[in-house]
Amino acid sequence: MAEQESLEFGKADFVLLDAVTMPEFMGNLRLRFEKGRIYTFIGEVVVSMNPYKNLNIYGRDVIEQYKGRELYERPPHLFAIADAAYKAMKRRSKDTCIVISGESGAGKTEASKYIMQYIAAITNPGQRAEVERVKNILLKSNCVLEAFGNAKTNRNDNSSRFGKYMDINFDFKGDPIGGHINNYLLEKSRVIVQQPGERSFHSFYQLLQGGSDQMLRSLHLQKDASAYSYISPGAQLKGSINDGAEFKAVADAMKVIGFKQEEIQTVYKIVAAILHLGNLKFSVDGDTPLIENSKAVSIIADLLSTKSEMVEKALLFRTVATGRDVIDKQHTEQEATYGRDAFAKAIYERLFCWIVTHINDVIEVKNYDTTVHGKNTVIGVLDIYGFEIFDNNSFEQFCINYCNEKLQQLFIQLVLKQEQEEYQREGIPWKHIDYFNNQVIVDLVEQQHKGIIAILDDACMNVGKVTDEMFLEALNSKLGKHAHFSSRKLCATDKTLEFDRDFRIKHYAGDVIYSVSGFIDKNKDTLFQDFKRLMYNSSNPVLKMMWPEGKLSITEVTKRPLTAATLFKNSMIALVDNLASKEPYYVRCIKPNDKKSPQLFDEERCRHQVEYLGLLENVRVRRAGFAYRQTYQKFLHRYKMISEFTWPNHDLPSDKDAVKKLIECHGFQHDVAYGKTKIFIRTPRTLFTLEELHAKMLVRIVLFLQKVWRGTLARLRYKRTRAALTILRHYRRYKVKSYIHEVAQRFRNVRSMKDYGKHVPWPTPPKVLHRFEEALQAIYHRWRAGELIRSVPPKDLPQLRAKVAAMEVLKGHRADLGLQRAWEGDYITLRPDHPQSTGAFLPVATELKRKDKYMNVLFSCHVRKVNRFSKVEDRAIFITDRHLYKMDPMKQYKVMKTIPLYNLVGLSVSNGKDQLVVFHTKDNKDLIVCLFSKEPSNDNRIGELVGVLASHFKRAALCCAVLCCAVLCCAVPPGGDSKNGDGGRGARSRRGALNAATSVCSANPPHCLQLRRADGGSESSSGDIAPNHSQKPISQKHPELMLVVSSVLRDGKAEVALLPSREAAQVEASMGLKHRPPSPQHSAAPLLECLLSPLSQSLCTEVPFLGCLSRGAV
């Protein structure tokens, strides 16, 4: 029951009335209407009052208030009943339907739109694109169907002139996945004629008011609706609908639904063709029928994509088959007018049905497999025309009111009759409640052979001329004694009925007088075959599709089609059966007044509606009855988990006993009754409490099932992983064995091979053995090296070790290490430059051995030394396992300097082809020499020197750093040295030794130096230094010389030499400097002395610094 609303608004549920009487009911209804509360419950039925104004109670915030809530938790609302139907569908996987009933103008169409809006808003939380598409189409379809199926009537500005039942299909998650629309009995007679104060269908006025000027010109239309006979009566009527704005909304909706532009154009061409048809006027010239305004025929033919002569022939003649002969029969003026009107109605009806079919094709559920996607459930929404009583009621009102009788009968069956019968059948104590059963009226209309529809069909099938008066006479003779039927002939004193025209039916909603005029023609729904063939032969594919029967030849005999009344009766029976198969929810709409006033409450008008809707009886049954009933088996199936006595299975004698135990456990025994096969629960609160307990326990069960299932999955994954690892382990073992076996096979005979298996390719190992392969190859290479070393004579092993040490240190730094020749080591003794030198050297070497007690001679060689005065002097170096000696070969190899090997900390060489070498000592007194030899003159002994020393230091476990640096530049003094006695050849030899370049040999990074020029300026250098042309270049002061720096940075000392200008030119060119030719008047002389400190010593010079190239600082 509804709660959370103050009593100042009245009772939110009519079941809560103090006394169930009509005055009490009407008083509560009036109070709520005047307070703006237009919705009231009767249990699970919503009573809706049309407020005739816009209310702010349908927004997103209101939707959220009702989403997932039970009926009694929120005030009465359409959203509450929509959510109840949705929850029932989703929880119990049961099809539901919402039946909206009430008379015309009571607000049924708006109610259906709000229900659709709510369902669309609460579904598809995952924003799936396909679901959103279906929702948009379902919502937009209302706009299109209202334009072509609704019209302004005296009671309603937007009255549905057709019946609509929409099924919305949902997947197992509760998201809409499609739908289907059924339409019933479009009031097509409204196309050609309307009652005073009413309009034709909205689509005509929307086209004229909303269509662009260009569009109207293409359709040969003008904006003035009064220019067209079919719609001129309602041209000046004003309503609440903006036709211009609605036209744009409909066009946009059709695009969203999926109508192509050509199809939309065809739709409005058909609407325009109907307007032009209404303006056709016929006359007769003698016996020949004529069309007065023949220009309109050409326009119609153009709009319908056919030929004008064919249109004219179909309007003026009728093709008749007599045996084998086919003749064209001329129409009279009356027949031509009838044929035109029938054609206009038929075209519009076919257009409307085609639009509905097109929408269904788009939203139809496709490729849905219940085994894959789960059960497909449905919510049906019925929005159908309400009960109508007009001043002139014809065939359409008869069918509409019959439809409402069927729906009322369904309501009585499900809510009143079946419920009371079920209580009696189940043995539940019950006091019978009287109600009006309208089955007798339904039988009066639809009963076989005796009902009004059967009599009407008989009249239509009679041979010869049958009139409406003859039909009325048949009704009088067959139904004269029926309590709910009367006519003037049967009640001669009732002057409200006309002789030979009217009959009265006492409907549940009131007495209605029907005029039989047009009943026969409307039931026959006659349309000449000529029009069907005309449309079938149209070049427009849409029109051709609408008229499939047009392909039949005139001579073909077809079965007599069912009449309009029989078709409508069959569709109503099918509709009621469909609704009865679902769980129904009701919205009962009430119209507060006939003046569309938001303040006026017409009590008599409302009382009449409450009476014929059976609302008071509904309240009585609801108060006396039970809100919910279910079989014991299904009840247990849903709620057994909330009791320990029934979960997972009970051991009681029967399901009934188990249900009793479950109910008693939770203290609901005073609110239930037990039938023979079902349990009955009186109040919704008990049911909702059971649902809450079910939801809470369901979470625990789901978690338990998830735990068990996840455990099962984990065990399966573990078993699969273990199996995979076992397979992988065995496979790896197989691959390893295969690899080792392959290696063993390939290297089986390596001992007997000449190269010990060097040429044998290694097999590709598995990834897991990459490191093993590296270790295996290292072992193999060590073994092979050992085998090779064993084959080397012992006397050659020291030389081999030295070459290996040289290669380890200098490989990749110097191109020629001298590895291809034999390293002799003691070159002064074994290969002297002068034979007499050997005799002078041997005594000195012997004396040193006696004195210093060295064991082995490591290296000896003649060298040239460049001192800091730019002088080149011949010297010799003699290296033993204890000392490094610098000797003067010109003085019988006198020892000039002795350096213990433990004082030697490093060795620097360049990466060029020169043989310059720097010996670094602990006391920073470095020795800078250039190795040379005369026999052969091109021997490169740097590699041998480095290798011998590195091998010795390694074997002695001492440390000696070897640095191979980049070239700075070269330095050679001009001419020969007077002391060496070899003249120009000595100079050339010295140049060959130093021409490649000296190196930066300091073990420390280069320092940033300040270059001070003679003019007092300075340049800071931390990289390459560009030439300075601010002073006179050296070529002008000493043209025969060129300054090139040969610096060895060690403890701030450097040596500088000069180069002859012809060779300096080559050096300058290599450095990108411009060389100038020398003057002959200048003499050669040392020009510069450099003193470099590690941090702040400066370079002083009288000569501009020309430049040098290096990787670091200069």
Side-chain angles (χ1 to χ4, degrees), residues 335-397:
E335 289 173 339
T337 303
Y338 172 84
R340 176 202 65 185
D341 293 344
F343 183 39
K345 291 188 294 182
I347 291 177
Y348 195 84
E349 182 186 36
R350 297 290 178 104
L351 171 64
F352 185 77
C353 292
W354 176 82
I355 291 173
V356 173
T357 303
H358 194 287
I359 295 173
N360 284 334
D361 290 341
V362 175
I363 63 175
E364 181 183 7
V365 180
K366 301 176 181 69
N367 303 322
Y368 193 90
D369 186 354
T370 54
T371 60
V372 177
H373 304 100
K375 185 180 177 184
N376 179 348
T377 48
V378 169
I379 292 180
V381 180
L382 178 66
D383 171 23
I384 206 161
Y385 18 57
F387 194 86
E388 293 183 348
I389 306 176
F390 293 150
D391 295 334
N392 181 22
N393 301 290
S394 186
F395 178 78
E396 289 80 11
Q397 281 68 46

Coordinates of all heavy atoms in Angstrom, one line a residue, residues 335-397:
E335 N -21.3 7.4 -58.4 CA -20.4 6.2 -58.3 C -18.9 6.7 -58.4 O -18.1 6.2 -57.7 CB -20.7 5.2 -59.4 CG -22.0 4.4 -59.2 CD -22.3 3.6 -60.4 OE1 -21.8 3.8 -61.5 OE2 -23.1 2.6 -60.2
A336 N -18.7 7.7 -59.3 CA -17.4 8.2 -59.4 C -16.9 8.9 -58.1 O -15.8 8.7 -57.6 CB -17.3 9.2 -60.5
T337 N -17.8 9.6 -57.5 CA -17.5 10.3 -56.2 C -17.2 9.2 -55.1 O -16.3 9.3 -54.3 CB -18.6 11.2 -55.7 OG1 -18.9 12.2 -56.7 CG2 -18.3 11.9 -54.4
Y338 N -18.1 8.2 -55.1 CA -17.9 7.1 -54.1 C -16.5 6.4 -54.3 O -15.8 6.1 -53.4 CB -19.0 6.1 -54.2 CG -18.7 4.8 -53.4 CD1 -19.1 4.8 -52.0 CD2 -18.2 3.7 -53.9 CE1 -18.8 3.7 -51.2 CE2 -17.9 2.6 -53.2 CZ -18.3 2.6 -51.8 OH -18.0 1.5 -51.1
G339 N -16.2 6.1 -55.6 CA -14.9 5.5 -55.9 C -13.7 6.3 -55.5 O -12.7 5.8 -55.0
R340 N -13.8 7.6 -55.8 CA -12.7 8.5 -55.4 C -12.5 8.5 -53.9 O -11.4 8.4 -53.4 CB -13.1 10.0 -55.8 CG -12.1 11.0 -55.4 CD -12.7 12.4 -55.4 NE -13.7 12.5 -54.4 CZ -14.5 13.6 -54.2 NH1 -14.4 14.6 -55.0 NH2 -15.4 13.6 -53.3
D341 N -13.6 8.6 -53.1 CA -13.5 8.6 -51.6 C -12.9 7.3 -51.1 O -12.1 7.3 -50.2 CB -14.8 8.9 -51.0 CG -15.3 10.4 -51.3 OD1 -14.5 11.2 -51.7 OD2 -16.5 10.7 -51.1
A342 N -13.4 6.2 -51.7 CA -12.9 4.9 -51.3 C -11.5 4.8 -51.6 O -10.7 4.2 -50.8 CB -13.7 3.8 -52.0
F343 N -11.0 5.3 -52.7 CA -9.6 5.3 -53.1 C -8.8 6.1 -52.2 O -7.7 5.6 -51.7 CB -9.5 5.8 -54.6 CG -8.1 5.7 -55.1 CD1 -7.3 4.6 -54.9 CD2 -7.6 6.8 -55.9 CE1 -6.0 4.6 -55.4 CE2 -6.3 6.7 -56.4 CZ -5.5 5.6 -56.2
A344 N -9.3 7.3 -51.8 CA -8.5 8.1 -50.9 C -8.4 7.4 -49.5 O -7.3 7.4 -48.9 CB -9.2 9.5 -50.7
K345 N -9.5 6.8 -49.0 CA -9.4 6.1 -47.7 C -8.4 5.0 -47.8 O -7.6 4.7 -46.8 CB -10.8 5.7 -47.3 CG -11.7 6.8 -46.9 CD -13.0 6.3 -46.3 CE -13.9 5.5 -47.4 NZ -15.1 5.1 -46.8
A346 N -8.5 4.2 -48.9 CA -7.7 3.0 -49.0 C -6.2 3.4 -49.1 O -5.3 2.7 -48.5 CB -8.1 2.2 -50.2
I347 N -5.9 4.5 -49.8 CA -4.5 4.9 -50.0 C -3.9 5.2 -48.6 O -2.8 4.8 -48.2 CB -4.3 6.1 -50.9 CG1 -4.6 5.7 -52.3 CG2 -2.9 6.6 -50.8 CD1 -4.6 6.8 -53.3
Y348 N -4.7 6.0 -47.8 CA -4.2 6.4 -46.5 C -4.1 5.2 -45.5 O -3.1 5.1 -44.8 CB -5.1 7.5 -45.9 CG -4.5 8.2 -44.7 CD1 -3.7 9.3 -45.0 CD2 -4.7 7.8 -43.4 CE1 -3.1 10.0 -43.9 CE2 -4.1 8.5 -42.4 CZ -3.3 9.6 -42.6 OH -2.7 10.2 -41.6
E349 N -5.0 4.3 -45.6 CA -4.9 3.1 -44.7 C -3.7 2.3 -45.1 O -3.0 1.8 -44.2 CB -6.2 2.3 -44.8 CG -6.2 1.1 -43.9 CD -7.4 0.2 -44.1 OE1 -7.8 0.0 -45.3 OE2 -7.9 -0.4 -43.1
R350 N -3.5 2.1 -46.4 CA -2.3 1.3 -46.8 C -1.0 2.0 -46.4 O -0.1 1.4 -46.0 CB -2.3 1.1 -48.3 CG -3.5 0.3 -48.9 CD -3.4 -1.2 -48.5 NE -4.6 -1.9 -49.0 CZ -4.6 -2.7 -50.0 NH1 -3.5 -2.9 -50.7 NH2 -5.7 -3.3 -50.4
L351 N -1.0 3.3 -46.5 CA 0.2 4.1 -46.1 C 0.5 3.9 -44.6 O 1.6 3.6 -44.2 CB 0.0 5.6 -46.4 CG 1.0 6.5 -45.8 CD1 2.4 6.3 -46.4 CD2 0.6 8.0 -46.1
F352 N -0.6 4.0 -43.8 CA -0.4 3.8 -42.3 C 0.1 2.4 -42.0 O 1.0 2.3 -41.2 CB -1.7 4.1 -41.6 CG -1.6 4.1 -40.1 CD1 -1.1 5.2 -39.4 CD2 -2.0 3.0 -39.4 CE1 -1.0 5.2 -38.1 CE2 -1.9 3.0 -38.0 CZ -1.4 4.1 -37.3
C353 N -0.5 1.4 -42.6 CA -0.1 0.0 -42.3 C 1.4 -0.2 -42.8 O 2.1 -0.9 -42.1 CB -1.0 -1.0 -43.0 SG -2.7 -1.0 -42.3
W354 N 1.8 0.5 -43.9 CA 3.1 0.3 -44.4 C 4.1 1.0 -43.4 O 5.2 0.4 -43.2 CB 3.3 1.0 -45.8 CG 4.7 0.9 -46.3 CD1 5.3 -0.1 -46.9 CD2 5.6 2.0 -46.2 NE1 6.6 0.3 -47.2 CE2 6.8 1.6 -46.8 CE3 5.6 3.3 -45.7 CZ2 8.0 2.4 -46.9 CZ3 6.7 4.1 -45.8 CH2 7.9 3.6 -46.4
I355 N 3.8 2.1 -42.8 CA 4.6 2.7 -41.8 C 4.8 1.8 -40.6 O 5.9 1.7 -40.1 CB 4.0 4.1 -41.4 CG1 4.1 5.1 -42.6 CG2 4.8 4.7 -40.2 CD1 3.4 6.4 -42.3
V356 N 3.7 1.3 -40.1 CA 3.8 0.4 -39.0 C 4.7 -0.8 -39.3 O 5.5 -1.3 -38.5 CB 2.4 -0.1 -38.5 CG1 2.5 -1.2 -37.5 CG2 1.6 1.1 -38.1
T357 N 4.5 -1.4 -40.5 CA 5.3 -2.6 -40.9 C 6.8 -2.2 -41.0 O 7.7 -3.0 -40.6 CB 4.8 -3.1 -42.3 OG1 3.4 -3.4 -42.2 CG2 5.6 -4.3 -42.7
H358 N 7.1 -1.0 -41.6 CA 8.5 -0.6 -41.7 C 9.1 -0.4 -40.3 O 10.3 -0.9 -40.1 CB 8.5 0.8 -42.4 CG 9.9 1.1 -42.9 ND1 10.9 1.6 -42.0 CD2 10.4 1.2 -44.1 CE1 12.0 1.8 -42.7 NE2 11.7 1.6 -44.0
I359 N 8.4 0.1 -39.4 CA 8.9 0.2 -38.0 C 9.2 -1.1 -37.4 O 10.2 -1.4 -36.8 CB 8.0 1.1 -37.1 CG1 7.9 2.5 -37.6 CG2 8.4 1.0 -35.7 CD1 6.8 3.3 -36.9
N360 N 8.2 -2.1 -37.6 CA 8.4 -3.4 -37.1 C 9.6 -4.1 -37.7 O 10.3 -4.9 -37.0 CB 7.1 -4.3 -37.4 CG 6.0 -3.9 -36.4 OD1 6.2 -3.4 -35.3 ND2 4.8 -4.1 -36.9
D361 N 9.9 -3.9 -39.0 CA 11.0 -4.5 -39.6 C 12.3 -4.0 -39.0 O 13.3 -4.8 -38.9 CB 11.0 -4.2 -41.1 CG 9.9 -4.9 -41.9 OD1 9.4 -5.9 -41.3 OD2 9.6 -4.4 -43.0
V362 N 12.3 -2.8 -38.5 CA 13.5 -2.2 -38.0 C 13.8 -2.7 -36.5 O 14.9 -3.0 -36.1 CB 13.5 -0.7 -38.0 CG1 14.7 0.0 -37.3 CG2 13.4 -0.2 -39.4
I363 N 12.7 -2.8 -35.7 CA 12.8 -3.1 -34.3 C 12.6 -4.6 -34.0 O 12.7 -5.0 -32.9 CB 11.9 -2.3 -33.4 CG1 10.4 -2.6 -33.8 CG2 12.1 -0.8 -33.6 CD1 9.4 -1.9 -32.9
E364 N 12.4 -5.4 -35.0 CA 12.1 -6.8 -34.8 C 13.4 -7.5 -34.2 O 14.5 -7.2 -34.6 CB 11.7 -7.5 -36.1 CG 11.4 -9.0 -36.0 CD 11.1 -9.6 -37.3 OE1 11.3 -8.9 -38.4 OE2 10.7 -10.8 -37.4
V365 N 13.2 -8.4 -33.3 CA 14.3 -9.1 -32.7 C 14.8 -10.1 -33.7 O 14.1 -11.0 -34.2 CB 13.8 -9.9 -31.4 CG1 15.0 -10.7 -30.8 CG2 13.3 -8.9 -30.4
K366 N 16.1 -10.0 -34.1 CA 16.7 -10.8 -35.1 C 17.8 -11.7 -34.5 O 18.5 -11.3 -33.6 CB 17.3 -9.9 -36.2 CG 16.3 -9.0 -36.9 CD 17.0 -8.1 -37.9 CE 16.1 -7.1 -38.6 NZ 15.5 -6.1 -37.6
N367 N 17.9 -12.9 -35.0 CA 19.0 -13.9 -34.6 C 19.0 -14.1 -33.1 O 20.1 -14.1 -32.5 CB 20.3 -13.4 -35.2 CG 20.3 -13.2 -36.6 OD1 19.7 -13.9 -37.4 ND2 21.0 -12.1 -37.1
Y368 N 17.9 -14.2 -32.5 CA 17.9 -14.4 -31.0 C 17.7 -15.9 -30.8 O 16.7 -16.5 -31.1 CB 16.7 -13.6 -30.4 CG 16.9 -13.5 -28.9 CD1 17.5 -12.5 -28.3 CD2 16.3 -14.5 -28.0 CE1 17.7 -12.4 -26.9 CE2 16.5 -14.4 -26.7 CZ 17.1 -13.4 -26.1 OH 17.3 -13.3 -24.7
D369 N 18.7 -16.5 -30.1 CA 18.7 -17.9 -29.8 C 18.6 -18.0 -28.2 O 19.4 -17.6 -27.5 CB 20.0 -18.5 -30.2 CG 20.0 -20.0 -30.0 OD1 19.1 -20.5 -29.4 OD2 21.0 -20.7 -30.5
T370 N 17.5 -18.6 -27.8 CA 17.2 -18.7 -26.3 C 18.3 -19.5 -25.6 O 18.5 -19.3 -24.5 CB 15.8 -19.2 -26.1 OG1 15.7 -20.5 -26.8 CG2 14.7 -18.3 -26.6
T371 N 18.8 -20.5 -26.3 CA 19.8 -21.3 -25.7 C 21.1 -20.6 -25.4 O 21.9 -20.9 -24.5 CB 20.2 -22.6 -26.6 OG1 20.7 -22.1 -27.8 CG2 18.9 -23.4 -26.8
V372 N 21.4 -19.5 -26.2 CA 22.6 -18.7 -26.0 C 22.3 -17.5 -25.2 O 23.1 -17.1 -24.3 CB 23.2 -18.3 -27.4 CG1 24.4 -17.4 -27.3 CG2 23.5 -19.6 -28.2
H373 N 21.2 -16.7 -25.5 CA 20.9 -15.4 -24.9 C 20.0 -15.5 -23.7 O 19.7 -14.5 -23.1 CB 20.4 -14.5 -26.0 CG 21.3 -14.3 -27.2 ND1 21.0 -15.0 -28.3 CD2 22.4 -13.6 -27.4 CE1 22.0 -14.7 -29.2 NE2 22.8 -13.9 -28.7
G374 N 19.4 -16.7 -23.4 CA 18.4 -16.7 -22.4 C 17.0 -16.4 -22.9 O 16.8 -16.1 -24.0
K375 N 16.1 -16.5 -21.9 CA 14.7 -16.4 -22.3 C 14.4 -14.9 -22.7 O 14.9 -14.0 -22.1 CB 13.8 -16.8 -21.1 CG 12.3 -16.7 -21.5 CD 11.4 -17.1 -20.4 CE 9.9 -17.0 -20.7 NZ 9.0 -17.2 -19.6
N376 N 13.6 -14.8 -23.8 CA 13.2 -13.5 -24.3 C 11.8 -13.2 -23.7 O 10.8 -13.8 -24.0 CB 13.1 -13.6 -25.8 CG 12.6 -12.3 -26.4 OD1 12.2 -11.4 -25.7 ND2 12.7 -12.2 -27.7
T377 N 11.8 -12.2 -22.7 CA 10.6 -11.8 -22.1 C 10.0 -10.5 -22.7 O 10.7 -9.8 -23.4 CB 10.8 -11.6 -20.6 OG1 11.9 -10.8 -20.4 CG2 11.0 -12.9 -19.9
V378 N 8.7 -10.3 -22.4 CA 8.0 -9.2 -23.1 C 7.2 -8.4 -22.1 O 6.6 -8.9 -21.1 CB 7.0 -9.8 -24.1 CG1 6.0 -8.8 -24.6 CG2 7.8 -10.5 -25.2
I379 N 7.2 -7.1 -22.3 CA 6.2 -6.2 -21.6 C 5.3 -5.6 -22.7 O 5.9 -5.0 -23.7 CB 6.9 -5.1 -20.8 CG1 7.6 -5.6 -19.6 CG2 5.9 -4.0 -20.3 CD1 8.3 -4.6 -18.8
G380 N 4.0 -5.8 -22.6 CA 3.1 -5.2 -23.6 C 2.5 -3.9 -23.1 O 2.2 -3.8 -21.9
V381 N 2.3 -3.0 -23.9 CA 1.7 -1.7 -23.6 C 0.5 -1.5 -24.6 O 0.8 -1.3 -25.8 CB 2.7 -0.5 -23.6 CG1 2.0 0.8 -23.2 CG2 3.9 -0.7 -22.7
L382 N -0.7 -1.4 -24.0 CA -1.9 -1.3 -24.8 C -2.4 0.2 -24.7 O -2.7 0.6 -23.6 CB -3.0 -2.3 -24.4 CG -4.3 -2.1 -25.2 CD1 -4.1 -2.5 -26.7 CD2 -5.4 -3.0 -24.6
D383 N -2.4 0.9 -25.8 CA -3.0 2.2 -25.9 C -4.0 2.2 -27.0 O -3.6 2.2 -28.2 CB -1.8 3.2 -26.2 CG -2.4 4.6 -26.5 OD1 -3.6 4.9 -26.0 OD2 -1.7 5.4 -27.2
I384 N -5.2 2.1 -26.6 CA -6.3 1.9 -27.7 C -7.4 2.9 -27.4 O -7.5 3.5 -26.3 CB -6.8 0.5 -27.6 CG1 -7.4 0.1 -29.0 CG2 -7.8 0.3 -26.5 CD1 -7.5 -1.4 -29.2
Y385 N -8.1 3.2 -28.5 CA -9.2 4.2 -28.3 C -10.1 4.0 -27.2 O -10.5 2.8 -26.9 CB -9.9 4.4 -29.6 CG -9.8 3.2 -30.6 CD1 -10.2 1.9 -30.2 CD2 -9.4 3.4 -31.9 CE1 -10.1 0.9 -31.1 CE2 -9.3 2.4 -32.8 CZ -9.6 1.1 -32.4 OH -9.5 0.1 -33.2
G386 N -10.6 5.0 -26.6 CA -11.5 4.9 -25.4 C -12.9 4.9 -25.9 O -13.3 5.0 -27.1
F387 N -13.8 4.6 -24.9 CA -15.2 4.6 -25.2 C -15.7 5.9 -25.7 O -15.3 7.0 -25.2 CB -15.9 4.2 -23.9 CG -17.4 3.8 -24.1 CD1 -17.7 2.5 -24.3 CD2 -18.4 4.7 -23.9 CE1 -19.0 2.1 -24.5 CE2 -19.7 4.4 -24.1 CZ -20.0 3.1 -24.4
E388 N -16.5 5.9 -26.8 CA -16.9 7.1 -27.4 C -18.5 7.2 -27.6 O -19.1 6.2 -27.9 CB -16.3 7.3 -28.8 CG -14.8 7.4 -28.8 CD -14.2 7.6 -30.1 OE1 -14.9 7.4 -31.1 OE2 -13.0 8.0 -30.2
I389 N -19.0 8.3 -27.2 CA -20.4 8.6 -27.5 C -20.5 10.0 -28.1 O -20.2 11.0 -27.5 CB -21.2 8.6 -26.2 CG1 -21.0 7.3 -25.4 CG2 -22.7 8.9 -26.5 CD1 -21.8 7.3 -24.0
F390 N -20.8 10.0 -29.4 CA -20.9 11.3 -30.2 C -22.3 11.6 -30.5 O -23.2 10.7 -30.3 CB -20.1 11.2 -31.5 CG -18.6 11.1 -31.3 CD1 -17.8 10.4 -32.2 CD2 -18.0 11.6 -30.2 CE1 -16.4 10.3 -32.0 CE2 -16.6 11.5 -30.0 CZ -15.8 10.8 -30.9
D391 N -22.6 12.7 -31.1 CA -23.9 13.1 -31.5 C -24.3 12.2 -32.7 O -25.5 11.8 -32.8 CB -24.0 14.5 -32.0 CG -23.8 15.5 -30.8 OD1 -24.0 15.1 -29.7 OD2 -23.3 16.6 -31.0
N392 N -23.4 11.8 -33.5 CA -23.7 10.9 -34.6 C -22.7 9.8 -34.6 O -21.5 9.9 -34.9 CB -23.6 11.6 -36.0 CG -23.9 10.7 -37.1 OD1 -24.5 9.7 -37.0 ND2 -23.4 11.1 -38.3
N393 N -23.1 8.6 -34.1 CA -22.3 7.5 -33.9 C -22.5 6.5 -35.1 O -23.6 6.0 -35.3 CB -22.6 6.8 -32.6 CG -22.3 7.7 -31.4 OD1 -21.2 8.1 -31.1 ND2 -23.4 8.1 -30.8
S394 N -21.4 6.1 -35.8 CA -21.5 5.3 -36.9 C -20.7 4.0 -36.7 O -20.5 3.6 -35.6 CB -21.0 6.0 -38.2 OG -21.2 5.3 -39.3
F395 N -20.4 3.4 -37.8 CA -19.7 2.1 -37.8 C -18.4 2.1 -37.0 O -18.1 1.2 -36.2 CB -19.4 1.6 -39.2 CG -18.7 0.3 -39.3 CD1 -19.4 -0.9 -39.2 CD2 -17.4 0.3 -39.6 CE1 -18.8 -2.1 -39.3 CE2 -16.7 -1.0 -39.8 CZ -17.4 -2.1 -39.6
E396 N -17.6 3.2 -37.1 CA -16.4 3.3 -36.4 C -16.6 3.3 -34.9 O -15.9 2.6 -34.1 CB -15.6 4.5 -36.8 CG -15.0 4.5 -38.2 CD -16.1 4.8 -39.3 OE1 -17.2 5.3 -38.9 OE2 -15.8 4.6 -40.4
Q397 N -17.6 4.1 -34.4 CA -17.9 4.1 -33.0 C -18.4 2.8 -32.4 O -18.1 2.4 -31.3 CB -18.9 5.2 -32.6 CG -18.3 6.6 -32.6 CD -17.8 7.1 -34.0 OE1 -18.5 6.9 -35.0 NE2 -16.6 7.6 -34.0

